[in-house]
């Protein structure tokens, strides 16, 4: 299957150094406050992803007739500015979803499990950013550029609630680049090594990395509240619990979610997930093995035309994607596109991918899902 074209997206192959642009996918939503728009609730609005929800909603001009900002009792009463209006954060309760059309959840799995079904029962379409429902049969797990058909038939105005799951951030960033190649030549095996930023563990982890960096430079012992070991000037295996098979939960999310999103239970996936002392945006080394040959020049052209992807692959100046370049950007950047010399012919490729975990890895993907509901 050919990759979808994206005429508004710039392509980068050589100098001058690229400036990533905000994606325009989809292009039809360009409004804000609107009487005929949906009623929107943001659950977990005071967290890192919750704040990013508001930023993305504003950047993309998402239409709404009303907006509820919901959080814990501790945060209730706080004032939040959004599009030149002040909103008061409300305590999340069972009554919060009366007359809500779309509820964007990012308050953790336990909150999603408790309040998601309540919101759905009251007729809201829940877009959930936690892992609570991703692998539940019948719950669409969606990356809009990859598998929008998974949510066919779910629309605002259908007079009943529904649930759509947002994939794990690492899975989203990986599959944004791997899927266009998979459509062309079918991936049979994928090996992923991740280099995951503090943003993946939330605002508190980002603060702790900054604090530890100062402490270490000043010769003080580092404060380790979020992680049980020094994060500054260090890297370590992802802090998710390690399972009986030796993989941690983050790694198995990539395995299981890839199979569900691609609707292919036979694709072989293995992952090693690592925390690195980067503030924001994840990086991933991805090795792909294909059923049909795919040379690196064809792969590069496919990726140049993939929606939500930019190619940064300048070998002459040794310039490839970095977390800093994609931080606060919508597009996922891909580079280091090269034939896997350990495989015969053109049946293997290595690529390096960087994407903003808080935006495309979380908030942007959820808002794009919400746009498809309109």
């Amino acid at each position: 299957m050919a990759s979808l074209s994206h005429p508004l997206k710039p392509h980068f192959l050589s100098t001058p150094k690229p400036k990533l642009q905000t994606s325009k996918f989809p292009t039809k939503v360009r409004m804000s406050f609107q009487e005929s728009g949906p009623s929107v609730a943001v659950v977990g609005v005071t967290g890192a992803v919750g704040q990013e929800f508001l930023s993305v909603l504003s950047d993309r001009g998402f239409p709404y007739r009303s907006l509820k900002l919901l959080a814990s009792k501790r945060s209730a009463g706080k004032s939040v500015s959004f599009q030149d209006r002040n909103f008061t954060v409300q305590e999340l309760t069972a009554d919060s979803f009366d007359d809500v059309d779309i509820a964007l959840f990012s308050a953790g799995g336990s909150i999603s499990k408790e309040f998601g079904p309540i919101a759905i029962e009251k007729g809201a379409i829940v877009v959930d950013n936690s892992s609570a429902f991703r692998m539940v049969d019948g719950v669409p797990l969606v990356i809009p550029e990859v598998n929008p058909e998974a949510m066919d038939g779910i629309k605002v105005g259908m007079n009943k609630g529904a649930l759509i799951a947002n994939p794990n951030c690492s899975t989203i960033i990986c599959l944004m680049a791997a899927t266009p190649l998979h459509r062309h030549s079918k991936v049979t095996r994928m090996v992923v090594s991740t280099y995951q930023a503090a943003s993946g563990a939330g605002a508190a982890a980002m603060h702790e990395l900054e604090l530890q960096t100062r402490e270490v430079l000043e010769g003080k012992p580092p404060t380790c509240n979020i992680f049980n070991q020094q994060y500054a000037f260090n890297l370590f295996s992802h802090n998710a619990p390690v399972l009986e098979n030796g993989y941690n939960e983050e790694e198995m999310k990539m395995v299981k979610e890839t199979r569900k999103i691609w609707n292919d239970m036979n694709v072989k996936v293995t992952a090693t997930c690592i925390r690195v002392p980067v503030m924001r945006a994840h990086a991933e080394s991805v090795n792909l093995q294909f059923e049909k040959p795919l040379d690196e020049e064809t792969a590069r052209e496919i990726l140049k035309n993939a929606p939500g992807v930019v190619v940064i692959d300048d070998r002459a100046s040794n310039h490839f994607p970095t977390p800093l370049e994609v931080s606060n950007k919508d597009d996922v950047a891909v580079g280091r596109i090269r034939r896997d010399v350990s495989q015969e012919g053109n049946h293997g490729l290595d690529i390096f991918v960087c994407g903003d975990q808080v935006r495309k890895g979380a908030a942007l993907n959820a808002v794009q899902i919400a746009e498809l509901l309109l």
Side-chain angles (χ1 to χ4, degrees):
M1 185 187 302
S3 171
L4 297 172
S5 64
H6 196 274
L8 296 178
K9 176 185 66 59
H11 306 144
F12 304 108
L13 284 172
S14 59
T15 52
K17 290 185 178 181
K19 295 181 180 179
L20 276 68
Q21 304 295 321
T22 300
S23 292
K24 300 291 192 292
F25 178 90
T27 58
K28 63 182 179 180
V29 179
R30 283 294 172 272
M31 294 166 284
S32 192
F33 177 75
Q34 185 184 354
E35 291 290 347
S36 60
S39 171
V40 177
V42 177
V43 180
V45 70
T46 55
V49 175
Q51 288 292 294
E52 200 70 20
F53 275 145
L54 296 183
S55 177
V56 174
L57 289 168
S58 180
D59 289 348
R60 297 175 72 83
F62 190 88
Y64 64 92
R65 73 171 183 274
S66 66
L67 181 64
K68 280 187 180 181
L69 305 186
L70 304 171
S72 66
K73 185 176 183 178
R74 184 179 67 252
S75 297
K78 290 182 178 178
S79 181
V80 174
S81 178
F82 178 72
Q83 294 187 333
D84 299 322
R85 297 174 64 193
N86 288 323
F87 292 81
T88 300
V89 176
Q90 302 175 36
E91 180 184 356
L92 174 64
T93 70
D95 297 324
S96 295
F97 302 99
D98 294 337
D99 194 35
V100 168
D101 297 311
I102 299 173
L104 303 173
F105 272 69
S106 189
S110 60
I111 295 296
S112 293
K113 287 178 180 177
E114 180 179 356
F115 290 96
I118 294 171
I120 294 165
E121 181 68 25
K122 295 198 173 188
I125 300 175
V126 171
V127 183
D128 182 41
N129 196 57
S130 80
S131 61
F133 304 106
R134 288 174 186 157
M135 299 313 298
V136 174
D137 287 344
V139 174
L141 183 65
V142 176
I143 305 171
E145 296 93 336
V146 173
N147 65 330
E149 70 282 353
M151 53 183 286
D152 281 353
I154 304 177
K155 292 283 185 183
V156 168
M158 63 182 186
N159 297 319
K160 63 177 181 178
L163 173 64
I164 301 167
N166 215 34
N168 185 45
C169 52
S170 299
T171 306
I172 292 173
I173 291 165
C174 176
L175 295 192
M176 283 291 293
T179 300
L181 306 177
H182 175 60
R183 287 172 176 162
H184 185 278
S185 293
K186 187 174 172 54
V187 172
T188 57
R189 184 170 186 260
M190 181 165 70
V191 181
V192 185
S193 298
T194 72
Y195 313 89
Q196 295 184 222
S199 59
M206 297 168 76
H207 172 72
E208 183 162 293
L209 175 57
E210 185 177 352
L211 174 64
Q212 281 192 10
T213 302
R214 289 198 184 98
E215 289 172 336
V216 172
L217 289 173
E218 293 171 1
K220 300 175 182 177
T223 301
C224 299
N225 294 326
I226 306 303
F227 303 112
N228 61 6
Q229 55 191 308
Q230 181 176 320
Y231 192 15
F233 306 100
N234 194 22
L235 56 84
F236 46 81
S237 182
H238 192 282
N239 50 296
V242 179
L243 306 173
E244 196 172 311
N245 65 0
Y247 286 73
N248 62 44
E249 287 183 356
E250 185 81 358
E251 292 158 352
M252 289 309 299
K253 285 175 186 177
M254 295 199 72
V255 174
K256 295 175 181 178
E257 292 178 20
T258 296
R259 290 172 175 169
K260 181 170 180 176
I261 292 166
W262 280 356
N263 193 26
D264 184 354
M265 294 300 109
N266 295 318
V267 63
K268 295 179 173 66
V269 181
T270 186
T272 301
C273 294
I274 303 295
R275 282 271 185 226
V276 296
V278 169
M279 191 60 68
R280 180 167 172 147
H282 293 349
E284 302 179 11
S285 169
V286 184
N287 175 266
L288 300 164
Q289 186 172 332
F290 299 100
E291 184 176 273
K292 294 184 283 188
L294 178 59
D295 64 84
E296 64 183 48
E297 287 306 319
T298 302
R300 192 172 284 107
E301 287 304 309
I302 290 170
L303 291 168
K304 282 168 56 181
N305 289 294
V309 173
V310 292
V311 172
I312 304 177
D313 201 42
D314 186 351
R315 295 179 181 179
S317 63
N318 199 17
H319 179 216
F320 304 105
T322 67
L324 279 178
E325 282 178 295
V326 301
S327 290
N328 298 296
K329 303 296 191 301
D330 290 352
D331 290 327
V332 169
V334 187
R336 300 301 317 278
I337 303 162
R338 64 202 188 278
R339 185 177 75 85
D340 177 359
V341 297
S342 73
Q343 297 188 49
E344 296 297 324
N346 287 310
H347 284 273
L349 284 174
D350 285 299
I351 60 175
F352 188 71
V353 187
C354 288
D356 188 309
Q357 176 275 329
V358 189
R359 280 190 83 87
K360 184 53 185 171
L364 171 62
N365 199 78
V367 172
Q368 286 177 309
I369 289 171
E371 289 173 350
L372 294 178
L373 298 172
L374 303 178

